[in-house]
Amino acid sequence: MSYNLVTDISDKLINSYLTESEIAVDTELHGLKLFRDEVCLVQICDDKNNVSLIKPKNNLIPPNLKRLLTDTRVTKVFHFAITDVAFIKTSMNIDVEPFCCTKVMSKLIRTYTQDHGLKDLIFEIHGKMINKDQQQTNWDNENLTEKQLEYAANDVIYLIKIYKKLQEMMNNRLPLKSGITITELNRKAQSILPGLVDLLINGYG
């Protein structure tokens, strides 16, 4: 499948995205230093595999993207939320809410493994081995390659199904010896993440 870069979510897709309870989100960055490095690309996808690959133009904040990321009725699902949400704030001045992290969910329920990367989850849940070769390439280029676009899309098209599968696994797990359920623990863990983002932004990594 081929993908195209856009400067913002289309009006048709934003209206569709806003009807969803969850939307998958990921970013590609120029580097990993807050306040120095910028968000180069934002990937969005719903559970119907409607992908938007948004490359902001001239450092302008895409209005439809901001509308989605700040809509409190839609949970934004990231795989490594703390980093993505922090960079969206420092680079684009957008406060993402609400959001959740599937890496946190994986660590809570997949205690039979130490492999909690997105690639590992995609392989276990979808049976697909994705290529991560494009991860450390230059995402600041105005014209990204087909391989980069495919890589970026793969980071979101599986994420909603992974999120729902992890939720299902949590719901099926018996309570711990303390009486608390993994679902309740996850709710507590996810509620801590906005505070951890603030700590990261303010230099407490």
Side-chain angles (χ1 to χ4, degrees):
M1 182 180 293
S2 62
Y3 299 96
N4 297 313
L5 287 175
V6 294
T7 56
D8 197 3
I9 301 169
S10 71
D11 290 338
K12 178 181 179 181
L13 274 181
I14 187 63
N15 291 327
S16 176
Y17 288 160
L18 289 172
T19 66
E20 302 287 343
S21 53
E22 302 93 16
I23 286 288
V25 188
D26 189 39
T27 65
E28 303 302 335
L29 309 169
H30 197 258
L32 292 173
K33 189 172 179 61
L34 285 168
F35 297 102
R36 181 195 70 186
D37 296 319
E38 303 290 324
V39 172
C40 298
L41 186 71
V42 181
Q43 305 100 281
I44 305 287
C45 189
D46 59 17
D47 64 356
K48 304 173 190 67
N49 288 354
N50 293 311
V51 175
S52 294
L53 301 180
I54 303 136
K55 193 166 183 59
K57 190 173 183 179
N58 299 326
N59 292 324
L60 297 175
I61 307 304
N64 283 343
L65 176 64
K66 182 175 182 179
R67 182 181 171 193
L68 175 64
L69 294 180
T70 57
D71 192 300
T72 57
R73 298 166 297 179
V74 184
T75 298
K76 274 61 74 171
V77 179
F78 296 84
H79 181 62
F80 192 33
I82 294 176
T83 297
D84 288 315
V85 173
F87 271 93
I88 289 172
K89 173 61 178 178
T90 60
S91 178
M92 308 178 77
N93 197 29
I94 297 175
D95 291 298
V96 181
E97 62 172 336
F99 66 88
C100 73
C101 180
T102 52
K103 189 167 189 176
V104 170
M105 297 172 73
S106 177
K107 287 186 174 183
L108 286 171
I109 192 61
R110 296 173 68 249
T111 50
Y112 49 82
T113 180
Q114 295 298 310
D115 299 325
H116 300 287
L118 182 59
K119 182 178 180 179
D120 305 305
L121 284 164
I122 291 173
F123 182 69
E124 179 176 321
I125 294 172
H126 293 275
K128 295 180 182 293
M129 182 64 72
I130 63 168
N131 190 324
K132 302 291 281 186
D133 290 348
Q134 298 299 310
Q135 186 173 25
Q136 296 184 20
T137 56
N138 184 7
W139 293 97
D140 197 38
N141 281 331
E142 184 174 346
N143 298 309
L144 300 178
T145 67
E146 286 293 326
K147 286 186 176 181
Q148 284 179 302
L149 297 178
E150 183 180 0
Y151 167 87
N154 279 338
D155 275 356
V156 286
I157 60 176
Y158 302 103
L159 200 50
I160 296 299
K161 292 181 177 65
I162 287 171
Y163 167 78
K164 291 181 176 178
K165 178 62 177 179
L166 293 173
Q167 276 193 321
E168 179 187 331
M169 292 169 69
M170 289 180 176
N171 291 336
N172 290 336
R173 180 80 173 265
L174 293 174
L176 301 176
K177 295 295 184 183
S178 64
I180 195 170
T181 66
I182 302 297
T183 298
E184 290 169 326
L185 273 181
N186 179 58
R187 190 156 45 242
K188 290 176 183 290
Q190 300 292 342
S191 71
I192 295 169
L193 297 185
L196 294 180
V197 169
D198 286 340
L199 287 171
L200 184 62
I201 288 172
N202 287 285
Y204 294 88

